[in-house]
Structure formats: C-alpha cells, structure tokens
Amino acid sequence: MGEAMELRHLRTFRVVARTLNFTHAGAELHYAQSSVTEQVQALEAELGSKLFERGRRLRLTGAGERLVGYADQVLELVEEARAAVDEERGEPEGDLTIGALETLCAQRIPVLFGAYRTRWPRVRVRLEEGSRGELYQAVQRSEMDVCFTFGDAPADPALASASLGTEPLVVLVPPGHPLADNDEVRPGDLDGAGFLATSKGCGFREMLDRIDGPVVEAEVGSLAALARCVAAGMGCGIVPALVEPGGAVAVPLAGATTDVTMTWRRRDEHKPSIAALLATARLLRPAMTTA
C-alpha cells in the first residue's frame, strides 16, 4: 500500500464490497455515484489490482475479497486511535452514528437526541433506521457506533449492552374481535388464534414462538406494517405498547414486557461520545420507556 491511499477510499470500498452496488453505496455514504466510482478506481490504481468485476452484477475479485478484511482492520484501528485521543481529551466530539428500530426512531430517540445535542453540540450525530439484525451487524462491522433495539442483544463477547427500561407489550386485534373488549389478555386466551409475525430472528417473533397457542399465519416486514394488517382483519399481533395501533385494538398482554436495549462495541466502552450517550439515556430513562 502506497502513501497516496486515503482512508475515505477504504471506507467507500468497504461499503461497495458490502452492497455490491455503486448507487446504493453512494446513497449510504451521501456521495454521487460518480464519486464512488472515482474513489474505487483510485484505490485500484494505488494497489495495481482490480477489486471488482464489473458485469451485469458487480462482484469482488480475489484481490477485493482479501482487501475486505484488511480494510476492516485498518478502519477499526483508526476508530480506536480516535477513541483513545477522545478519552484523553474527555470532551465528546466528532461523528457518532446511531441506529434504531423504526418505532424507537419515531417514539423514543427524539427525546434522547434533543437532550444529547443540547449537552454535547460538538458531536455530529447521524441516525439510521434498520431491522434488529441489520443494526447489530452494522455495530459488529463498525459501520455504526450504537444501536437501540427491543429485547436482549446477541451473545457476542465483542459487544456490550445496557437495558434502558422496559416497554409493556400488547396484543393487537382487529375491531370486533372477541378479545377486543378484554381488560387484558393472558397467553391461554390465544389458543388457536391466527397471528401475524415479524420475520424469524426478530425479538418479537422469538417471543411469539415461545407462547403455546398462537398460530403464525403470515409474516410482515415491520411493526408498523403489522399493525396496519391487523387493523385490516388479517390476524392478531404482539407489539410494544408504543406502536401506533393504526386502527387495530390494543389489549395489554398480562405481565409481558420487553427491554429497550442500547448496544455498542466493547472496545469503545470509554469513548466519550458513547459514554455520554449512555449517561444521557439513563438519565432520561422515564422518558425513554413507558414502564
């Protein structure tokens, strides 16, 4: 690797290698597609090797596949160096990429953002939405600093997490459903009931699969879509109480809650911007959750 190599070229390469699409990479990085192409070409020229085969579908060459691991290591070391400098200075600043589930982005994160930005205006915050699996993978790959989800974080020694409180769960039922007038629903009330569920790997799907009785009849991509499908009479669903019912009837699920969890890389434990975010979230615990 020569001296002309730029870190931004490695960052761009890593995103293109993951998306295998120059246009999608440009949108994610907020670059024009032409800029993404130029940066990849500059990196190829610097290394003297083609990194991608450009046909009907973009794919990595052997050299590109080998570079991915090294790019990850280099960029991780850069982040560690910045974290070490930040820790010495003690003043949170720089960039902080935060991810959250769509529901949390709409209902809980704005309160946290407002308080955090007021206290630490030198931190440039970027918020991204994603599914639970996408968010954890982005943190694991160092593409995101922190994520907020429901349920427990993955059992990964490289990750650290903290519960910021709990959200009560409700059963969404269509208007006129036999359970719609109940004060609460117990698991035994769900025997044989047709349910909509999020995809496998989602915390709510895992929880639903542990309850005897409900029958999963269809999958939907998000909690918001699930609520609208329930309102349309397609079945029932289990969601956090903060999810807008969208015309469905929300009945409390007796004794059931889910954690709101913040997850970050363990090696960034003392990075000032992350430590400050965790402290702010804990201070705002009552506003972050409803239980």
Side-chain angles (χ1 to χ4, degrees), residues 39-74:
Q39 290 184 47
V40 170
Q41 289 175 341
L43 186 58
E44 289 178 325
E46 174 65 23
L47 295 171
S49 297
K50 288 182 62 177
L51 301 174
F52 296 95
E53 292 290 349
R54 296 161 173 81
R56 292 183 61 184
R57 292 187 60 186
L58 194 69
R59 66 182 183 87
L60 286 162
T61 63
E65 291 177 352
R66 287 190 292 274
L67 182 60
V68 168
Y70 288 104
D72 287 344
Q73 292 178 46
V74 169

Short mmCIF file of all heavy atoms in Angstrom, two decimals, residues 39-74:
data_model
loop_
_atom_site.label_atom_id
_atom_site.label_comp_id
_atom_site.label_asym_id
_atom_site.label_seq_id
_atom_site.Cartn_x
_atom_site.Cartn_y
_atom_site.Cartn_z
N GLN A 39 -13.45 6.95 -6.48
CA GLN A 39 -12.68 6.54 -5.31
C GLN A 39 -12.23 5.09 -5.42
O GLN A 39 -11.10 4.75 -5.05
CB GLN A 39 -13.51 6.75 -4.04
CG GLN A 39 -13.73 8.22 -3.70
CD GLN A 39 -14.47 8.39 -2.39
OE1 GLN A 39 -14.14 7.76 -1.39
NE2 GLN A 39 -15.46 9.25 -2.39
N VAL A 40 -13.11 4.24 -5.91
CA VAL A 40 -12.74 2.83 -6.09
C VAL A 40 -11.65 2.70 -7.15
O VAL A 40 -10.68 1.95 -6.98
CB VAL A 40 -13.97 1.98 -6.47
CG1 VAL A 40 -13.55 0.57 -6.90
CG2 VAL A 40 -14.94 1.90 -5.29
N GLN A 41 -11.78 3.44 -8.24
CA GLN A 41 -10.76 3.40 -9.29
C GLN A 41 -9.42 3.91 -8.76
O GLN A 41 -8.36 3.36 -9.12
CB GLN A 41 -11.22 4.23 -10.48
CG GLN A 41 -12.37 3.60 -11.26
CD GLN A 41 -12.89 4.50 -12.36
OE1 GLN A 41 -12.68 5.72 -12.35
NE2 GLN A 41 -13.59 3.90 -13.32
N ALA A 42 -9.46 4.94 -7.92
CA ALA A 42 -8.21 5.48 -7.35
C ALA A 42 -7.54 4.43 -6.46
O ALA A 42 -6.32 4.26 -6.47
CB ALA A 42 -8.50 6.74 -6.54
N LEU A 43 -8.37 3.68 -5.71
CA LEU A 43 -7.82 2.64 -4.85
C LEU A 43 -7.25 1.50 -5.68
O LEU A 43 -6.17 0.97 -5.38
CB LEU A 43 -8.92 2.12 -3.91
CG LEU A 43 -8.51 1.13 -2.83
CD1 LEU A 43 -7.44 1.71 -1.93
CD2 LEU A 43 -9.73 0.72 -2.01
N GLU A 44 -7.93 1.14 -6.76
CA GLU A 44 -7.42 0.10 -7.64
C GLU A 44 -6.11 0.52 -8.29
O GLU A 44 -5.18 -0.29 -8.41
CB GLU A 44 -8.46 -0.22 -8.72
CG GLU A 44 -9.69 -0.96 -8.18
CD GLU A 44 -10.74 -1.22 -9.25
OE1 GLU A 44 -10.90 -0.33 -10.14
OE2 GLU A 44 -11.40 -2.26 -9.21
N ALA A 45 -6.03 1.78 -8.68
CA ALA A 45 -4.79 2.27 -9.28
C ALA A 45 -3.65 2.26 -8.28
O ALA A 45 -2.50 1.91 -8.61
CB ALA A 45 -5.01 3.69 -9.82
N GLU A 46 -3.95 2.63 -7.03
CA GLU A 46 -2.94 2.66 -5.98
C GLU A 46 -2.41 1.25 -5.70
O GLU A 46 -1.22 1.04 -5.51
CB GLU A 46 -3.54 3.26 -4.71
CG GLU A 46 -2.63 3.22 -3.49
CD GLU A 46 -1.39 4.07 -3.66
OE1 GLU A 46 -1.41 5.02 -4.47
OE2 GLU A 46 -0.40 3.79 -2.98
N LEU A 47 -3.33 0.26 -5.70
CA LEU A 47 -2.93 -1.11 -5.39
C LEU A 47 -2.44 -1.88 -6.61
O LEU A 47 -1.84 -2.94 -6.48
CB LEU A 47 -4.11 -1.86 -4.78
CG LEU A 47 -4.59 -1.35 -3.41
CD1 LEU A 47 -5.89 -2.03 -3.02
CD2 LEU A 47 -3.54 -1.57 -2.35
N GLY A 48 -2.75 -1.37 -7.79
CA GLY A 48 -2.35 -2.06 -9.01
C GLY A 48 -3.14 -3.34 -9.25
O GLY A 48 -2.65 -4.25 -9.92
N SER A 49 -4.35 -3.42 -8.71
CA SER A 49 -5.19 -4.61 -8.87
C SER A 49 -6.65 -4.22 -9.00
O SER A 49 -7.11 -3.25 -8.37
CB SER A 49 -5.06 -5.55 -7.65
OG SER A 49 -3.74 -6.04 -7.52
N LYS A 50 -7.38 -4.99 -9.80
CA LYS A 50 -8.83 -4.80 -9.88
C LYS A 50 -9.46 -5.37 -8.62
O LYS A 50 -9.12 -6.48 -8.19
CB LYS A 50 -9.40 -5.50 -11.11
CG LYS A 50 -9.07 -4.83 -12.43
CD LYS A 50 -9.72 -5.58 -13.59
CE LYS A 50 -11.24 -5.57 -13.46
NZ LYS A 50 -11.90 -6.24 -14.63
N LEU A 51 -10.39 -4.62 -8.05
CA LEU A 51 -11.06 -5.05 -6.84
C LEU A 51 -12.46 -5.59 -7.11
O LEU A 51 -13.02 -6.34 -6.30
CB LEU A 51 -11.14 -3.89 -5.84
CG LEU A 51 -9.79 -3.31 -5.42
CD1 LEU A 51 -9.99 -2.09 -4.54
CD2 LEU A 51 -8.96 -4.36 -4.69
N PHE A 52 -13.04 -5.19 -8.27
CA PHE A 52 -14.39 -5.62 -8.62
C PHE A 52 -14.44 -6.05 -10.08
O PHE A 52 -13.78 -5.46 -10.93
CB PHE A 52 -15.41 -4.49 -8.42
CG PHE A 52 -15.57 -4.05 -6.99
CD1 PHE A 52 -14.87 -2.96 -6.50
CD2 PHE A 52 -16.42 -4.73 -6.13
CE1 PHE A 52 -15.01 -2.55 -5.18
CE2 PHE A 52 -16.57 -4.33 -4.81
CZ PHE A 52 -15.86 -3.24 -4.34
N GLU A 53 -15.25 -7.06 -10.33
CA GLU A 53 -15.58 -7.44 -11.70
C GLU A 53 -16.87 -6.73 -12.05
O GLU A 53 -17.89 -6.88 -11.37
CB GLU A 53 -15.79 -8.96 -11.80
CG GLU A 53 -14.53 -9.78 -11.60
CD GLU A 53 -13.55 -9.65 -12.76
OE1 GLU A 53 -13.93 -9.08 -13.80
OE2 GLU A 53 -12.41 -10.11 -12.61
N ARG A 54 -16.84 -5.93 -13.10
CA ARG A 54 -17.99 -5.12 -13.46
C ARG A 54 -18.71 -5.75 -14.65
O ARG A 54 -18.35 -5.53 -15.79
CB ARG A 54 -17.54 -3.69 -13.79
CG ARG A 54 -16.93 -2.95 -12.60
CD ARG A 54 -16.10 -1.76 -13.06
NE ARG A 54 -15.61 -0.93 -11.98
CZ ARG A 54 -14.54 -1.21 -11.23
NH1 ARG A 54 -13.85 -2.33 -11.46
NH2 ARG A 54 -14.16 -0.38 -10.27
N GLY A 55 -19.72 -6.54 -14.36
CA GLY A 55 -20.55 -7.15 -15.39
C GLY A 55 -21.99 -6.79 -15.15
O GLY A 55 -22.31 -5.69 -14.69
N ARG A 56 -22.87 -7.72 -15.47
CA ARG A 56 -24.29 -7.48 -15.18
C ARG A 56 -24.50 -7.30 -13.68
O ARG A 56 -25.37 -6.57 -13.24
CB ARG A 56 -25.14 -8.63 -15.70
CG ARG A 56 -25.19 -8.73 -17.22
CD ARG A 56 -26.10 -9.85 -17.67
NE ARG A 56 -27.48 -9.65 -17.21
CZ ARG A 56 -28.46 -10.51 -17.40
NH1 ARG A 56 -28.22 -11.67 -18.00
NH2 ARG A 56 -29.68 -10.25 -16.96
N ARG A 57 -23.68 -8.02 -12.91
CA ARG A 57 -23.71 -7.86 -11.46
C ARG A 57 -22.30 -7.60 -10.96
O ARG A 57 -21.35 -8.25 -11.39
CB ARG A 57 -24.28 -9.12 -10.79
CG ARG A 57 -25.75 -9.37 -11.07
CD ARG A 57 -26.27 -10.53 -10.23
NE ARG A 57 -26.11 -10.25 -8.80
CZ ARG A 57 -26.36 -11.15 -7.84
NH1 ARG A 57 -26.72 -12.38 -8.17
NH2 ARG A 57 -26.23 -10.82 -6.58
N LEU A 58 -22.18 -6.65 -10.06
CA LEU A 58 -20.88 -6.33 -9.50
C LEU A 58 -20.47 -7.43 -8.53
O LEU A 58 -21.28 -7.90 -7.73
CB LEU A 58 -20.96 -4.99 -8.77
CG LEU A 58 -19.63 -4.32 -8.39
CD1 LEU A 58 -18.92 -3.85 -9.66
CD2 LEU A 58 -19.90 -3.14 -7.46
N ARG A 59 -19.21 -7.86 -8.61
CA ARG A 59 -18.73 -8.83 -7.64
C ARG A 59 -17.25 -8.58 -7.35
O ARG A 59 -16.52 -7.99 -8.17
CB ARG A 59 -18.94 -10.27 -8.14
CG ARG A 59 -18.14 -10.66 -9.36
CD ARG A 59 -18.47 -12.10 -9.78
NE ARG A 59 -17.66 -12.54 -10.91
CZ ARG A 59 -16.46 -13.10 -10.79
NH1 ARG A 59 -15.93 -13.28 -9.59
NH2 ARG A 59 -15.77 -13.47 -11.86
N LEU A 60 -16.83 -9.01 -6.17
CA LEU A 60 -15.45 -8.83 -5.75
C LEU A 60 -14.52 -9.78 -6.50
O LEU A 60 -14.87 -10.93 -6.77
CB LEU A 60 -15.31 -9.10 -4.25
CG LEU A 60 -15.86 -8.03 -3.30
CD1 LEU A 60 -16.05 -8.61 -1.92
CD2 LEU A 60 -14.91 -6.83 -3.25
N THR A 61 -13.34 -9.29 -6.84
CA THR A 61 -12.30 -10.16 -7.36
C THR A 61 -11.62 -10.84 -6.16
O THR A 61 -11.91 -10.54 -5.00
CB THR A 61 -11.25 -9.36 -8.13
OG1 THR A 61 -10.63 -8.43 -7.22
CG2 THR A 61 -11.89 -8.60 -9.29
N GLY A 62 -10.68 -11.73 -6.44
CA GLY A 62 -9.94 -12.35 -5.36
C GLY A 62 -9.20 -11.32 -4.53
O GLY A 62 -9.16 -11.39 -3.29
N ALA A 63 -8.60 -10.33 -5.22
CA ALA A 63 -7.89 -9.26 -4.50
C ALA A 63 -8.85 -8.46 -3.64
O ALA A 63 -8.54 -8.07 -2.52
CB ALA A 63 -7.17 -8.35 -5.50
N GLY A 64 -10.05 -8.19 -4.19
CA GLY A 64 -11.05 -7.44 -3.43
C GLY A 64 -11.48 -8.17 -2.17
O GLY A 64 -11.64 -7.58 -1.10
N GLU A 65 -11.69 -9.49 -2.30
CA GLU A 65 -12.09 -10.28 -1.14
C GLU A 65 -11.02 -10.24 -0.06
O GLU A 65 -11.33 -10.17 1.14
CB GLU A 65 -12.37 -11.71 -1.57
CG GLU A 65 -13.63 -11.85 -2.43
CD GLU A 65 -13.85 -13.27 -2.91
OE1 GLU A 65 -12.93 -14.10 -2.71
OE2 GLU A 65 -14.92 -13.55 -3.48
N ARG A 66 -9.75 -10.30 -0.48
CA ARG A 66 -8.68 -10.26 0.51
C ARG A 66 -8.58 -8.88 1.17
O ARG A 66 -8.25 -8.77 2.35
CB ARG A 66 -7.34 -10.63 -0.15
CG ARG A 66 -7.22 -12.11 -0.48
CD ARG A 66 -5.81 -12.48 -0.89
NE ARG A 66 -5.43 -11.88 -2.18
CZ ARG A 66 -5.69 -12.42 -3.36
NH1 ARG A 66 -6.34 -13.58 -3.43
NH2 ARG A 66 -5.31 -11.83 -4.47
N LEU A 67 -8.87 -7.83 0.40
CA LEU A 67 -8.74 -6.47 0.94
C LEU A 67 -9.81 -6.17 1.98
O LEU A 67 -9.57 -5.37 2.88
CB LEU A 67 -8.82 -5.44 -0.19
CG LEU A 67 -8.66 -3.97 0.23
CD1 LEU A 67 -7.30 -3.75 0.89
CD2 LEU A 67 -8.85 -3.05 -0.97
N VAL A 68 -10.98 -6.81 1.89
CA VAL A 68 -12.07 -6.51 2.82
C VAL A 68 -11.61 -6.64 4.27
O VAL A 68 -11.83 -5.75 5.10
CB VAL A 68 -13.29 -7.42 2.56
CG1 VAL A 68 -14.30 -7.30 3.69
CG2 VAL A 68 -13.96 -7.05 1.24
N GLY A 69 -10.97 -7.76 4.59
CA GLY A 69 -10.53 -7.99 5.96
C GLY A 69 -9.52 -6.95 6.42
O GLY A 69 -9.59 -6.46 7.55
N TYR A 70 -8.59 -6.61 5.53
CA TYR A 70 -7.58 -5.60 5.90
C TYR A 70 -8.22 -4.22 6.06
O TYR A 70 -7.83 -3.45 6.94
CB TYR A 70 -6.48 -5.57 4.84
CG TYR A 70 -5.57 -6.77 4.88
CD1 TYR A 70 -5.68 -7.78 3.93
CD2 TYR A 70 -4.61 -6.91 5.89
CE1 TYR A 70 -4.85 -8.90 3.97
CE2 TYR A 70 -3.78 -8.02 5.94
CZ TYR A 70 -3.90 -9.01 4.98
OH TYR A 70 -3.10 -10.12 5.04
N ALA A 71 -9.17 -3.90 5.19
CA ALA A 71 -9.86 -2.61 5.30
C ALA A 71 -10.57 -2.51 6.64
O ALA A 71 -10.52 -1.47 7.31
CB ALA A 71 -10.85 -2.44 4.15
N ASP A 72 -11.22 -3.60 7.04
CA ASP A 72 -11.89 -3.61 8.35
C ASP A 72 -10.90 -3.35 9.47
O ASP A 72 -11.15 -2.55 10.38
CB ASP A 72 -12.58 -4.96 8.58
CG ASP A 72 -13.83 -5.13 7.73
OD1 ASP A 72 -14.33 -4.12 7.20
OD2 ASP A 72 -14.29 -6.28 7.58
N GLN A 73 -9.74 -4.04 9.41
CA GLN A 73 -8.75 -3.88 10.48
C GLN A 73 -8.21 -2.45 10.53
O GLN A 73 -8.06 -1.87 11.61
CB GLN A 73 -7.60 -4.86 10.26
CG GLN A 73 -7.99 -6.32 10.45
CD GLN A 73 -6.82 -7.25 10.17
OE1 GLN A 73 -5.71 -7.02 10.64
NE2 GLN A 73 -7.06 -8.30 9.41
N VAL A 74 -7.89 -1.89 9.35
CA VAL A 74 -7.34 -0.53 9.30
C VAL A 74 -8.34 0.47 9.87
O VAL A 74 -8.00 1.32 10.70
CB VAL A 74 -6.97 -0.15 7.85
CG1 VAL A 74 -6.65 1.33 7.75
CG2 VAL A 74 -5.78 -0.98 7.38
#
